[in-house]
Amino acid sequence: MNPVATNHWARELVKQSIPAPADWLGELRNKANDQLDSLPLPRRKLEAWRYSRVDALLKQQFTPVVQAPDCASLPRPESESPYMLVFVDGWLSPALSRIDDLPGEVTLKSIHQALNDGDALLQQYLGTLANAGENLFTALNTALINDGLFLHIPASVRLEAPVEVFYLNSASEQALLVQPRNLLVLDERSEATVIEHFLGDEGKTYFHNNITEVQLHGDAKLSHYRIQDESSSAWHLSNLYLQQGEKSHYHGITLSFGGKWARTDYRSSFSGPQADCDLRGLYVVGNDQLSDFHLDIHHNQPACNSREQFKGLLYGKGRAVFDGRILVDQVAQLTDAQLTNDNLMLTRNAEVDTKPQLEIYADDVKCSHGTSVGQLDPQQIFYLRSRGIEESAATHMLCQGYAQEVIEHIHLGSLREQALKRLQDTLEKLPE
């Protein structure tokens, strides 16, 4: 596909936008809109898109959701949290959401409501981490910002219950472009847990193009869990931008099960020393699926730690991509960074492209990276079968043990059980 056709694809989508409710947002949108023509195609010649072909995506005709849809017929998701936000086609549904007993100084609302309220913090932070000129899809999201999650935790406040966010589909028969834009800001010494569920009705075709900006100030702590279980006909692109202040801690786990084409990009940097970034992920990929993880961890402050552990479980003709990069600047002495990617191939036709990278310009660091691609150990299968366990059950047990190394780091027991149940459901559907 040539650049003109691609620009036309994006511009036709942007034409359907509605006026911005604030002048500063209009300026942000217009700047992103202007960049659409100059941005290169996300194609194989670009290293970041070498293994993630988007030709089929760009041939699809999507309709952007520019106003809140009718969701009266949708059931409310099950959640025990008093802080539950439900977005339907990228717009908050007040009828399906629930916010009870929120501490008075905490802000938890939709981006759309914050814009109408003239929230000064939203203007201060939105768009400061996500560069609209980075690629076509980031610019597209920014040019059409309408709604998403806005969370602000003031200094020294700990949100006791998790914020649970659900992204659902309406009953629309159109192929929709869904673009939530999220902003999470935690001030000094604050603490919160956020859970995101990306869900889609089976057979629905849509493009979920999500951007989340996370700003952690000094000593702030955020546990962030993301479960991607989109429709098998959906495209899913999630970009997460993270900046951490001095002694802050980010604990993030992403589990990827669904989608026809699913990609998650992490871009992390530091604004102060002695911060910890803990990233983990599990992707389960089967027939007609692509799951892609890209990490760009930039150590630009001294004495910061990062741990990146990602594991893949592939079967059928599933395909996965892992591209993880750790960059350590000269100023970032005493950095401790560890990156691993392991892949378990259950069939011969599964495929993975894995490329962990270290780029180090400091001399007093402790850094490592590694990758593995392999199959189940026949001796382990034999041992379990010799104990009277059927081969399929033995395979399931070994796969669960392999995935458990990521899932066990979910601190919430109920969510950990949900993840194990979802993994078990997938394993039970594997062909004998």
Side-chain angles (χ1 to χ4, degrees), residues 192-423:
T193 297
V194 175
I195 307 167
E196 295 184 272
H197 302 268
F198 302 90
L199 307 174
D201 296 335
E202 191 55 38
K204 288 270 188 180
T205 298
Y206 54 91
F207 177 28
H208 186 114
N209 181 30
N210 169 282
I211 291 180
T212 298
E213 296 176 280
V214 179
Q215 181 76 59
L216 301 184
H217 292 285
D219 283 304
K221 296 180 181 180
L222 176 64
S223 295
H224 192 185
Y225 305 110
R226 315 175 90 214
I227 320 295
Q228 187 276 109
D229 202 2
E230 303 275 22
S231 159
S232 61
S233 300
W235 282 267
H236 175 96
L237 176 59
S238 183
N239 283 279
L240 190 144
Y241 298 82
L242 169 66
Q243 186 172 75
Q244 295 186 237
E246 182 176 359
K247 295 183 180 179
S248 64
H249 181 80
Y250 179 83
H251 170 68
I253 296 181
T254 296
L255 308 180
S256 180
F257 295 103
K260 175 181 183 178
W261 181 99
R263 172 167 169 155
T264 299
D265 285 24
Y266 280 99
R267 294 170 182 82
S268 174
S269 63
F270 302 90
S271 60
Q274 298 181 285
D276 290 307
C277 180
D278 180 25
L279 296 179
R280 301 176 192 271
L282 172 70
Y283 44 95
V284 183
V285 195
N287 284 326
D288 301 318
Q289 282 187 292
L290 169 71
S291 184
D292 186 348
F293 277 85
H294 283 246
L295 312 181
D296 190 352
I297 313 301
H298 186 189
H299 281 267
N300 54 342
Q301 294 285 334
C304 291
N305 304 322
S306 70
R307 295 288 184 275
E308 293 80 38
Q309 179 195 35
F310 285 77
K311 308 191 78 169
L313 187 61
L314 291 82
Y315 62 94
K317 295 183 178 180
R319 183 165 174 262
V321 177
F322 179 84
D323 188 343
R325 174 175 176 259
I326 296 177
L327 170 63
V328 183
D329 288 350
Q330 186 175 3
V331 71
Q333 303 294 339
L334 302 178
T335 288
D336 186 345
Q338 315 296 327
L339 169 64
T340 61
N341 174 232
D342 300 311
N343 296 276
L344 183 58
M345 319 296 280
L346 299 182
T347 58
R348 290 179 175 270
N349 292 325
E351 178 184 349
V352 63
D353 296 288
T354 176
K355 188 176 70 171
Q357 307 167 69
L358 278 177
E359 191 173 340
I360 303 173
Y361 297 97
D363 51 18
D364 187 5
V365 300
K366 182 181 178 181
C367 299
S368 68
H369 71 299
T371 186
S372 68
V373 179
Q375 299 174 328
L376 289 174
D377 186 345
Q379 291 185 346
Q380 291 181 336
I381 295 288
F382 176 79
Y383 174 82
L384 292 173
R385 294 199 67 188
S386 69
R387 298 301 188 271
I389 300 173
E390 295 184 1
E391 183 171 0
S392 60
T395 298
H396 295 175
M397 290 175 63
L398 293 174
C399 288
Q400 286 178 332
Y402 170 82
Q404 181 74 11
E405 292 183 13
V406 172
I407 295 176
E408 68 182 4
H409 290 277
I410 297 176
H411 298 154
L412 301 174
S414 60
L415 185 63
R416 190 166 56 246
E417 292 176 5
Q418 289 179 35
L420 288 171
K421 177 65 165 57
R422 180 63 181 85
L423 174 64

Side-chain angles (χ1 to χ4, degrees), residues 153-170:
I153 311 291
S156 302
V157 173
R158 182 178 185 269
L159 203 57
E160 297 292 340
V163 175
E164 195 155 15
V165 185
F166 293 86
Y167 304 95
L168 309 179
N169 302 128
S170 68

Side-chain angles (χ1 to χ4, degrees), residues 54-73:
V54 297
D55 300 30
L57 170 63
L58 298 178
K59 290 177 182 177
Q60 283 281 333
Q61 297 297 316
F62 295 104
T63 301
V65 186
V66 296
Q67 60 183 2
D70 179 11
C71 51
S73 61

Side-chain angles (χ1 to χ4, degrees), residues 130-141:
N131 178 11
E134 190 169 284
N135 62 61
L136 174 73
F137 302 114
T138 303
L140 183 61
N141 179 287

